[in-house]
Amino acid sequence: MFKKLSGIVIGVIAVVVLTGAALAFDASYVEVTNNVGKKDVVRVSGIEPRSVVSVYSQSGMLLGRKTLSNSATSVNITVMLPTATAGEITVTVQKKGETNLTAAVKGYPAEPVSDTPSAVEITNNVDKKDTIHVDYLEPRDLVTVYSAAIGGKRITSGKVRNNSDEVILSLKQLGKDGGSVWVSVKSVGKHESPREKFDFDAELSSTSFSDDDGSITVTNGVNKKGVIEVTDLEPGDMITVFADQFSTKKLGSAKCAKNRDTVTIKTSLLKEDGDNIWLTIKRFNELPSDRSFYKYDKQDISPDIEADHITVESKRNPSGTNDTLYIDGLEAGDIVKLYKDDKTTSVLLRGAVASNRTDITLSRAEFAKENEPVALYVSITRKNMREGNRVEVKMDSVTASGPFVSDDPSVTVTNNAGIQSTVFVSGLYDGVTVTAYNADTNGKVIGSAKVAAGGNSVTINLTLERTGGSVWLTRRDPGFAESSRTEFTYTAQEISVFDTENLDVYIVNNVGAADTITVSGGIRDGDVIKAYASLTTGTVLGQATCGAQDYSVTITIGQLGKDEGTVFLTITNRGKLESERKPHAYQGELPSADISPSNVTVTNNVNAAPTIEVWGLGSGDAVTVYDAPTGGKTLGKGTVDTFASTIKFNLSSLKAEGGAVYVTRKSAGLNESTRAEVPYGAQKPSTAINAADVEIVNNANMPDVITVKNVAANDIIKVYSSQSASESITEAVALDSTVVLHAEQLGTGSGTVFITVTRYADGEMHSESTRTPVKYAAEQVSQILTSVSFDNRTATSVDLVISGLNTGDIIRLYSDAAGTILLGSATAGSESMTLTLNQLSASSGFVHITRTTQGMHESAKCSYQYGAHTPPAS
């Protein structure tokens, strides 16, 4: 209500001011500061203390008001002026204790706007950030660069430091081409200035080379990289060489090093016949120049060899070994090549002139042909030059050696298997060369040999066809050409024979160790015996090779198998093919001797591991006990000690009702014997508990108690929740004739437990008895109190006297029958107890009491009334 009334008063004042009903006030005493981004300030001075000063907008809205202190004659009022542009306000002054107002209208300026930038320098760099330098600023001025006069995007911005009048802004790239940006300034306490347009130049390109630039040198090397050298450069200049005017494929590039003015570029891509290269230069902070071309020359060609400098001799020369080619008039390092014609690229022969020579001799087994002149072609390749033209050289024909005759007894061809075949030729003389071919014309050389000095025969090692065929032989006598080819046939490779009548075979089929096959009698050095699993297929089971001093071989095989069977053997004689496979039977692995049941004793223990004892064994025999005649599981196993014949060990388990076990043995090198059946007797059951000897107390909030009588010391008593439960609830060992067991909780209701006993009687432990069911009652609730009296002896307390208790009874007192608040509790130390109950008045009242007897639930809550306090007579 007060605020509403105050609002009405303000409205009245505003009306008075706007109508000009107030007295005039000198506007020169008013200063208005129209701030940017913060509250504006109206300062009024020259007024009396304790006056009320108010500021209004032209529309009559109160902008601010303050009351001066007792000593102040001026005041600052913070307001929010209605507009950022220029305007007017009305200021009123009301003196203390007066009702009249004095008023003045005061104009105020617009919020200040920053000056537009005038000194802007833009540098459009290459390969580094561009810069915008703005000068003649004020400290803390914010300079912003835009992409457009209105809108656009902010390109970059930066603030002038406190002690500076300029700022340098950097940005990634303005662009390769020229353009414009718009720059504004925002000074502290002022609006951002209008954007001013500033142009910038395009990035500078380097000046390209001229077509006849003398700073470029190209060396078109032969068999090495070409060299491009560029001089008159500046450190940091990057030179790039291209294959043509527009391709991006580079021949190479290089950067001019510090303190240098030259770069050298090596490339393997220059052409033999010369061509143009295209170059660009890129200087620091400049774009690469346009490409300019430079024409380079073709590679130099070596001179031709003059015919009168060439001498050719056939093998009829005195040395009688090779044809020779002698050339003089050369230079050291010249490469001489010999071709069979003027077109082929295949070189017959080549050589290099020695460093201290001007001639060279080349030799080859045959230049000339029989009865036919031959033309050869020779070229030279001089250092740093291309190969020269080929010059024709002619050689006279030579006489051929006499051929072999087809039935020549001096020629023996042996077709071996598994090793090299041979051609043996006798009746020759020193220097004769015999060559073997695989065809009568063309084909290929399959072997060759030359008669050694002082010899008269040769042996050629070669590979021949398994099924037989032909080989063609030639001979070359010293000083003559190679003879024509003569055919010699050879037989198929011989097959080895496994002689079952003369070869003895002994097969041992071991148990737990590798099996062996031994072959002896009539085998020789290098014979190979192989064993197979089948007659026609299958892999090799094993093999062995007869040594030079041996007369038998033994093949070791991992396992042939438990049962009898057949292996298939072959023999391969040196130089012959493998024989046919011959079957050889072998026996199955032998079993160990069976165990006699009369030599076995099984003891079916109770509460201890069953045992087995076996007699009549051998040292190292392994005995295994099973629970079934076949398959089943292993109950136990053991190994007979050295020098012993008996073993005894524990079994994992036996049936309480008796049954049979199955016993085997495994002797060294033999299989396991058959299983011998050995019966064993049942465990003796203990006499069951009599239900009448069991007493069960089903307690509440404490462990239940089960007492069993008429037991013997060391009897094991177990209590189960059902006839089929696998785990007992509790168990104990009797120390005398009575045993007391405790169970966590049998349950709040009535039920049944099942009790067993495991007795030690007649000198042995009997098995657990059958389960005896014993019923138990539900947990009991404590009786309510029947003997409670009160003694209201004072105005603030009441004594409660409770009797008929049990020691340990817990008495609880509650605020009401619902037990909302527990007022207190106490535990009885005897049959009676006295409790004192504090009260707020001397009037009568009620108390609500329960009893909790040990092992029982809390009784019901009973309400007891007590009388009002009666003061004693005066």
Side-chain angles (χ1 to χ4, degrees):
M1 180 63 71
F2 175 76
K3 289 183 178 179
K4 185 175 182 182
L5 291 174
S6 300
I8 292 172
V9 173
I10 290 170
V12 170
I13 293 173
V15 170
V16 171
V17 172
L18 293 176
T19 57
L23 299 175
F25 173 64
D26 190 349
S28 64
Y29 291 100
V30 180
E31 297 179 12
V32 182
T33 304
N34 193 1
N35 291 316
V36 176
K38 63 180 180 178
K39 286 188 176 182
D40 307 316
V41 178
V42 178
R43 178 174 178 79
V44 184
S45 58
I47 53 178
E48 294 183 5
R50 303 181 68 186
S51 296
V52 177
V53 181
S54 302
V55 182
Y56 298 89
S57 69
Q58 286 298 92
S59 63
M61 180 178 66
L62 178 65
L63 300 178
R65 171 179 292 157
K66 271 192 178 181
T67 301
L68 275 67
S69 66
N70 291 335
S71 59
T73 59
S74 63
V75 65
N76 289 337
I77 302 173
T78 57
V79 298
M80 290 296 292
L81 294 175
T83 63
T85 57
E88 291 182 340
I89 58 172
T90 300
V91 179
T92 66
V93 178
Q94 183 180 14
K95 294 181 180 180
K96 174 72 174 177
E98 296 184 3
T99 58
N100 291 331
L101 299 174
T102 57
V105 176
K106 181 71 174 181
Y108 59 88
E111 292 179 353
V113 176
S114 305
D115 295 333
T116 57
S118 58
V120 177
E121 181 181 352
I122 303 174
T123 304
N124 193 5
N125 291 312
V126 177
D127 296 337
K128 66 177 182 177
K129 289 185 176 181
D130 300 331
T131 61
I132 301 176
H133 181 195
V134 186
D135 205 351
Y136 301 114
L137 301 172
E138 295 294 332
R140 298 172 60 196
D141 278 357
L142 175 64
V143 177
T144 304
V145 181
Y146 298 92
S147 63
I150 299 174
K153 66 177 182 178
R154 184 184 68 82
I155 297 174
T156 184
S157 63
K159 187 177 286 188
V160 180
R161 295 182 179 180
N162 289 336
N163 58 352
S164 180
D165 61 355
E166 64 177 356
V167 67
I168 298 177
L169 308 177
S170 65
L171 61 157
K172 190 172 183 180
Q173 277 293 301
L174 287 169
K176 181 179 178 181
D177 301 323
S180 302
V181 294
W182 285 260
V183 185
S184 72
V185 176
K186 186 181 183 308
S187 300
V188 177
K190 295 182 181 181
H191 285 289
E192 184 179 13
S193 74
R195 303 178 186 180
E196 190 74 19
K197 180 181 179 183
F198 293 94
D199 298 330
F200 59 88
D201 297 330
E203 293 178 350
L204 184 64
S205 295
S206 301
T207 303
S208 60
F209 295 103
S210 61
D211 294 345
D212 57 351
D213 199 318
S215 63
I216 302 172
T217 303
V218 179
T219 303
N220 193 2
V222 178
N223 298 324
K224 61 181 179 180
K225 289 185 176 181
V227 179
I228 303 167
E229 186 178 64
V230 183
T231 60
D232 299 332
L233 300 176
E234 296 177 3
D237 285 354
M238 173 62 74
I239 305 299
T240 304
V241 183
F242 298 90
D244 56 50
Q245 187 174 5
F246 303 106
S247 172
T248 58
K249 181 180 179 181
K250 296 179 182 179
L251 299 183
S253 62
K255 188 175 185 179
C256 188
K258 186 177 181 181
N259 301 323
R260 298 294 299 273
D261 63 354
T262 303
V263 297
T264 300
I265 300 171
K266 294 183 178 181
T267 177
S268 58
L269 301 177
L270 296 182
K271 298 179 180 179
E272 291 181 353
D273 295 328
D275 200 352
N276 292 328
I277 56 172
W278 296 80
L279 299 91
T280 65
I281 179 172
K282 183 186 180 307
R283 293 225 145 105
F284 176 73
N285 202 21
E286 293 179 357
L287 295 172
S289 69
D290 294 334
R291 299 186 188 184
S292 58
F293 75 91
Y294 181 86
K295 183 175 181 61
Y296 61 92
D297 297 330
K298 64 181 179 179
Q299 297 172 352
D300 293 333
I301 299 177
S302 303
D304 297 342
I305 301 176
E306 296 180 6
D308 58 355
H309 287 279
I310 303 173
T311 303
V312 180
E313 290 186 356
S314 71
K315 64 178 57 184
R316 291 174 294 178
N317 63 69
S319 63
T321 54
N322 293 321
D323 295 343
T324 59
L325 178 69
Y326 174 78
I327 306 174
D328 61 6
L330 302 175
E331 292 183 4
D334 283 353
I335 304 297
V336 179
K337 296 180 183 178
L338 180 66
Y339 299 90
K340 69 178 181 179
D341 55 41
D342 60 351
K343 296 179 180 179
T344 184
T345 59
S346 176
V347 178
L348 296 176
L349 202 60
R350 67 183 295 158
V353 179
S355 59
N356 57 348
R357 304 280 302 205
T358 59
D359 60 352
I360 189 172
T361 299
L362 302 178
S363 63
R364 179 181 166 90
E366 179 186 18
F367 290 147
K369 293 184 178 179
E370 179 186 357
N371 302 321
E372 180 184 346
V374 66
L376 302 175
Y377 294 83
V378 183
S379 72
I380 66 169
T381 304
R382 191 148 286 169
K383 186 177 181 181
N384 296 327
M385 293 185 181
R386 291 167 53 186
E387 185 178 7
N389 298 318
R390 300 180 188 182
V391 175
E392 182 179 6
V393 179
K394 291 186 177 181
M395 176 177 284
D396 296 334
S397 62
V398 295
T399 304
S401 304
F404 291 105
V405 294
S406 59
D407 57 351
D408 194 330
S410 64
V411 178
T412 303
V413 182
T414 304
N415 190 7
N416 290 318
I419 59 175
Q420 285 262 283
S421 301
T422 60
V423 174
F424 177 75
V425 183
S426 60
L428 303 174
Y429 56 87
D430 185 4
V432 176
T433 299
V434 179
T435 302
Y437 296 85
N438 65 350
D440 58 347
T441 57
N442 297 322
K444 65 179 181 179
V445 175
I446 56 177
S448 180
K450 183 177 181 180
V451 178
N456 60 7
S457 64
V458 293
T459 298
I460 302 173
N461 294 318
L462 70 176
T463 300
L464 299 177
E465 295 293 332
R466 174 180 175 181
T467 55
S470 296
V471 62
W472 285 263
L473 302 182
T474 66
R475 63 182 291 166
R476 182 194 297 272
D477 297 331
F480 292 87
E482 185 177 18
S483 72
S484 60
R485 303 179 188 183
T486 302
E487 180 181 12
F488 291 89
T489 60
Y490 58 88
T491 60
Q493 294 174 359
E494 189 176 352
I495 300 175
S496 305
V497 176
F498 195 100
D499 189 352
T500 55
E501 294 183 357
N502 295 317
L503 292 176
D504 296 326
V505 178
Y506 180 64
I507 303 176
V508 179
N509 193 3
N510 292 311
V511 176
D515 301 329
T516 60
I517 302 173
T518 301
V519 180
S520 61
I523 63 174
R524 301 184 301 275
D525 177 24
D527 286 351
V528 178
I529 306 296
K530 294 182 181 180
Y532 296 88
S534 69
L535 181 61
T536 56
T537 61
T539 57
V540 177
L541 297 176
Q543 68 181 53
T545 302
C546 183
Q549 306 298 323
D550 298 332
Y551 301 96
S552 66
V553 295
T554 299
I555 301 172
T556 301
I557 299 173
Q559 277 293 299
L560 289 170
K562 181 178 179 181
D563 302 323
E564 64 182 17
T566 301
V567 293
F568 300 85
L569 304 180
T570 67
I571 188 170
T572 303
N573 302 128
R574 185 185 294 276
K576 296 183 180 180
L577 298 173
E578 186 177 14
S579 71
E580 294 181 348
R581 302 183 188 184
K582 295 295 183 179
H584 289 270
Y586 58 86
Q587 293 182 339
E589 296 175 350
L590 297 176
S592 304
D594 293 343
I595 289 179
S596 172
S598 61
N599 287 345
V600 181
T601 299
V602 180
T603 304
N604 193 3
N605 293 317
V606 177
N607 291 340
T611 62
I612 185 168
E613 189 171 9
V614 186
W615 293 272
L617 301 172
S619 174
D621 281 356
V623 176
T624 304
V625 182
Y626 301 91
D627 67 349
T630 58
K633 66 179 181 179
T634 301
L635 300 178
K637 59 172 56 178
T639 301
V640 179
D641 292 336
T642 305
F643 307 120
S645 61
T646 303
I647 188 172
K648 182 177 181 180
F649 54 88
N650 295 333
L651 301 179
S652 60
S653 64
L654 292 177
K655 297 177 181 178
E657 65 272 20
V661 294
Y662 301 85
V663 187
T664 68
R665 78 163 139 194
K666 186 179 182 308
S667 302
L670 301 175
N671 279 322
E672 190 177 18
S673 69
T674 56
R675 301 185 184 186
E677 182 178 1
V678 180
Y680 60 88
Q683 298 174 353
K684 294 180 181 180
S686 302
T687 304
I689 293 291
N690 189 340
D693 291 333
V694 180
E695 178 182 339
I696 301 176
V697 179
N698 190 6
N699 291 315
N701 302 320
M702 59 186 297
D704 302 327
V705 180
I706 303 170
T707 304
V708 183
K709 300 177 181 178
N710 294 324
V711 295
N714 297 320
D715 282 358
I716 301 172
I717 310 300
K718 293 184 180 181
V719 181
Y720 298 89
S721 61
S722 67
Q723 282 285 17
S724 59
S726 59
E727 298 290 335
S728 63
I729 297 172
T730 182
E731 58 184 69
V733 178
L735 301 178
D736 49 34
S737 61
T738 300
V739 64
V740 178
L741 301 93
H742 296 85
E744 187 66 26
Q745 274 294 301
L746 294 174
T748 58
S750 60
T752 303
V753 294
F754 300 85
I755 304 177
T756 67
V757 62
T758 302
R759 305 181 190 272
Y760 184 83
D762 303 326
E764 62 179 324
M765 183 64 73
H766 291 208
S767 62
E768 188 176 14
S769 71
T770 58
R771 301 184 182 187
T772 300
V774 180
K775 295 182 178 181
Y776 58 87
E779 294 176 353
Q780 299 181 35
V781 178
S782 304
Q783 296 180 353
I784 61 175
L785 296 172
T786 58
S787 178
V788 179
S789 60
F790 300 91
D791 181 5
N792 196 357
R793 53 196 174 91
T794 71
T796 59
S797 65
V798 177
D799 286 344
L800 283 71
V801 180
I802 306 172
S803 58
L805 298 173
N806 301 311
T807 302
D809 280 357
I810 300 174
I811 305 302
R812 293 182 175 88
L813 281 67
Y814 295 93
S815 61
D816 51 35
T820 305
I821 300 174
L822 176 65
L823 300 176
S825 64
T827 302
S830 61
E831 293 182 358
S832 64
M833 64 188 303
T834 300
L835 302 175
T836 299
L837 175 66
N838 295 327
Q839 59 179 356
L840 297 176
S841 67
S843 60
S844 63
F846 285 89
V847 66
H848 309 277
I849 309 174
T850 66
R851 167 165 64 176
T852 303
T853 301
Q854 194 171 26
M856 298 183 183
H857 290 287
E858 188 177 15
S859 71
K861 298 177 181 65
C862 291
S863 301
Y864 299 91
Q865 185 177 19
Y866 56 88
H869 171 66
T870 303
S874 55

